[in-house]
């Protein structure tokens, strides 16, 4: 089946340092799935951070970037300089269309803590 | 911005009791989903729906039922709650027509004693 593997947390980074959260995927039902990063801030639901639907393209939002690499089946999340407000749980996910249902398969989530 | 709300936000239940988790969306989305989130697991799909009157089994449906009485509302029902169902439950909605982005509610924290 489809699966997503991401960096095991928790990850602790100092403010203004760089960040990378690794994500690799395996999609058995479709060659090029859509790829997502969702973020969950404390006490809130998941929010879409960025989405890329075309292999080779990069998505960006709120200073975060991720590039869809079909050769390495990866979609790593990066940020050049993190802030305390980036502390949250980050989920990598892939999207598969099966009929009229658009199923998302999630990684386990990576808890990021940014220290001042 | 999509609006998905869940109630209750926190729930304590007894083993063997019935629990109903409710979800409401104001996005007019066709699809709705129920997930659970446990430490060491990603979000796992329990049930989903294509529209009013439809419910489908997800990846881990055992011990759960779902009900979609209207476009806006989607409930998750635990007829006989067990401690293994202690978890955080998320509801989501999605257009389901060429768009696979899902919009999530804030979650319900359920503790079954």
């Amino acid at each position: 089946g489809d699966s997503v593997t991401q960096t095991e947390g928790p990850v602790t980074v100092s403010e203004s340092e760089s960040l990378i959260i690794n994500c690799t995927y395996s999609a058995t039902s479709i060659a090029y799935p859509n790829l997502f990063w969702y973020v969950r801030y404390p006490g809130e639901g998941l929010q879409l951070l960025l989405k890329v639907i075309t292999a080779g393209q990069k998505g960006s939002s709120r200073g975060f970037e991720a590039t869809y690499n079909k050769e390495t089946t990866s979609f790593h999340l990066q940020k050049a300089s993190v802030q305390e407000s980036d502390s949250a749980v980050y989920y990598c996910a892939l999207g598969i269309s099966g009929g009229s249902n658009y199923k998302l398969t999630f990684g386990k989530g990576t808890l990021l803590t940014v220290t001042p | 911005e999509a609006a998905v709300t869940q109630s209750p936000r926190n729930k304590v239940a007894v083993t063997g009791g019935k629990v109903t988790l409710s979800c409401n969306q104001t996005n007019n989305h066709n699809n709705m989903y129920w997930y659970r989130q446990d430490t060491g697991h990603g979000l796992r799909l329990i049930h989903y729906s294509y529209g009013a009157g439809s419910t489908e089994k997800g990846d881990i449906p055992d011990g759960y039922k779902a009900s979609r009485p209207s476009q806006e509302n989607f409930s998750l029902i635990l007829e006989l709650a067990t401690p293994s169902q202690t978890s955080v439950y998320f509801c989501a909605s999605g257009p389901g027509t060429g768009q696979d982005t899902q919009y999530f509610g804030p979650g319900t924290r359920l503790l079954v004693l």
Side-chain angles (χ1 to χ4, degrees):
Chain A
D2 305 316
S3 65
V4 174
T5 303
Q6 60 182 101
T7 299
E8 293 262 350
V11 172
T12 302
V13 179
S14 298
E15 198 167 30
S16 78
E17 290 191 346
S18 63
L19 169 73
I20 181 165
I21 299 176
N22 292 326
C23 172
T24 58
Y25 67 89
S26 172
T28 58
S29 52
I30 189 171
Y32 301 119
N34 296 341
L35 298 177
F36 302 78
W37 278 101
Y38 278 85
V39 58
R40 179 186 171 196
Y41 298 104
E44 300 182 15
L46 282 76
Q47 303 174 20
L48 178 65
L49 180 59
L50 55 87
K51 170 184 175 180
V52 178
I53 65 172
T54 303
Q57 292 200 346
K58 179 170 68 178
S60 60
S61 174
R62 309 181 206 177
F64 289 90
E65 297 182 337
T67 300
Y68 189 157
N69 188 320
K70 64 182 175 65
E71 284 78 24
T72 59
T73 63
S74 66
F75 191 56
H76 306 319
L77 183 68
Q78 301 184 70
K79 189 172 187 181
S81 177
V82 296
Q83 304 171 342
E84 265 193 275
S85 58
D86 294 325
S87 296
V89 182
Y90 293 81
Y91 297 91
C92 184
L94 64 84
I96 301 286
S97 169
S100 60
N101 175 41
Y102 289 78
K103 180 180 175 181
L104 294 181
T105 298
F106 288 87
K108 294 181 180 180
T110 302
L111 173 62
L112 171 67
T113 301
V114 180
T115 58
Chain B
E1 182 74 26
V4 180
T5 57
Q6 296 181 229
S7 63
R9 293 293 310 276
N10 293 280
K11 173 75 177 178
V12 179
V14 296
T15 298
K18 182 177 181 178
V19 176
T20 300
L21 307 182
S22 299
C23 178
N24 177 275
Q25 55 106 354
T26 59
N27 312 310
N28 198 32
H29 285 164
N30 290 328
N31 290 5
M32 295 186 75
Y33 307 82
W34 275 107
Y35 295 87
R36 63 179 285 176
Q37 161 82 78
D38 302 289
T39 303
H41 293 276
L43 274 74
R44 294 181 289 173
L45 183 64
I46 305 170
H47 284 288
Y48 59 96
S49 169
Y50 294 131
S54 101
T55 61
E56 305 289 337
K57 293 181 179 180
D59 298 325
I60 53 164
D62 293 345
Y64 302 94
K65 293 183 179 179
S67 173
R68 181 92 181 266
S70 64
Q71 179 83 337
E72 298 79 19
N73 295 294
F74 190 39
S75 297
L76 185 68
I77 303 153
L78 291 65
E79 294 278 4
L80 295 169
T82 68
S84 65
Q85 294 176 311
T86 293
S87 187
V88 180
Y89 291 86
F90 289 100
C91 176
S93 74
T97 51
Q99 293 283 338
D100 52 4
T101 301
Q102 294 181 16
Y103 300 87
F104 285 81
T108 294
R109 189 173 297 273
L110 173 65
L111 173 63
V112 182
L113 299 174

